[in-house]
Amino acid sequence: MKRSNVINLFLLFLALFVISARPAHAYLDPGSGSYILQILIATGVGALFAVKTFWLQIKDFFTSLIGRKKQKTKSAPKNNDMQ
């Protein structure tokens, strides 16, 4: 089977599943709402921590996309007077 046929078959089953769903008659209590809020906040803090941790790699990646070359810093001249 071709990959496109598998994807089309999956989308067909997904559409039939969504169309045939019955009403759930359910509700979200305050505990569920606060849990969802906690998950969203934790995801945001985790993403910020990941960006902070890998900032130099992210910066180098985008710098290489733009095409800028990193300038090498010159090392301090050696002092030959103290021999």
Side-chain angles (χ1 to χ4, degrees), residues 27-82:
Y27 70 99
L28 291 175
D29 62 346
S32 300
S34 65
Y35 184 65
I36 291 170
L37 181 62
Q38 181 181 357
I39 290 173
L40 292 174
I41 291 171
T43 302
V45 170
L48 289 174
F49 179 76
V51 167
K52 177 188 168 220
T53 303
F54 300 109
W55 177 249
L56 289 177
Q57 292 175 356
I58 294 169
K59 190 171 98 172
D60 288 342
F61 172 74
F62 284 112
T63 303
S64 68
L65 284 180
I66 294 172
R68 293 183 186 171
K69 293 184 179 179
K70 240 184 180 178
Q71 293 181 353
K72 294 184 180 179
T73 58
K74 294 180 180 179
S75 60
K78 294 183 181 178
N79 191 355
N80 291 333
D81 295 335
M82 301 182 90

Side-chain angles (χ1 to χ4, degrees), residues 2-17:
K2 289 185 180 179
R3 186 175 181 169
S4 62
N5 289 341
V6 173
I7 293 173
N8 287 338
L9 187 62
F10 173 74
L11 291 174
L12 175 67
F13 281 126
L14 183 65
L16 290 175
F17 179 74

